[in-house]
Amino acid sequence: GCSVLSVSPGLLVLDKAAGLVTEQLQAAVERHLGCATTSVSRLDRPTSGVLPVVLGQRMAQSTMWFQSQFAGRLVEKEYLCLCEADSTVSAVDGRQMISSPLRVLSEGSLSSKSYV
């Protein structure tokens, strides 16, 4: 499920696998490190990706600085959606474009999949 991408003073950057709950992962990190952590961002359960975890109490100055970066939209986020398509999808400039709206189907209380 999870690996460490980077460790910096006051910040741990994790590679969260799909299927993990952000809050449970953060709690596991706290137990493993034996120190308080604060979440400044979260990823939904079915989403994998980079998850920053601040090392420190919620009201610590360093924690508030990281939180302000996200609150002020100073952190750039990029999402990538992997799609599987049949031959009916048209190519434009070498890229396949999907113009249909996504249909989201629930797969239980905490999971869903999107379809075109």
Side-chain angles (χ1 to χ4, degrees):
C2 173
S3 61
V4 176
L5 296 174
S6 177
V7 179
S8 300
L11 183 67
L12 183 65
V13 181
L14 305 175
D15 181 9
K16 179 194 149 322
L20 295 177
V21 177
T22 295
E23 293 77 10
Q24 290 174 346
L25 180 56
Q26 180 187 345
V29 168
E30 283 187 355
R31 284 190 304 275
H32 181 74
L33 296 178
C35 70
T37 65
T38 303
S39 179
V40 291
S41 183
R42 67 175 312 282
L43 295 172
D44 292 338
R45 182 182 212 155
T47 305
S48 62
V50 176
L51 181 67
V53 176
V54 177
L55 304 175
Q57 298 288 341
R58 178 170 295 284
M59 296 308 292
Q61 187 174 0
S62 61
T63 302
M64 291 191 290
W65 183 85
F66 282 114
Q67 288 175 325
S68 71
Q69 300 304 296
F70 280 86
R73 304 219 185 272
L74 301 174
V75 176
E76 185 176 318
K77 298 179 186 180
E78 184 175 316
Y79 296 90
L80 176 66
C81 176
L82 302 177
C83 298
E84 182 179 336
D86 59 28
S87 60
T88 61
V89 176
S90 61
V92 177
D93 294 330
R95 300 175 78 180
Q96 292 183 323
M97 305 298 286
I98 298 172
S99 59
S100 303
L102 294 177
R103 188 175 78 228
V104 179
L105 300 177
S106 176
E107 292 194 333
S109 63
L110 296 173
S111 184
S112 63
K113 282 189 178 178
S114 299
Y115 296 90
V116 176

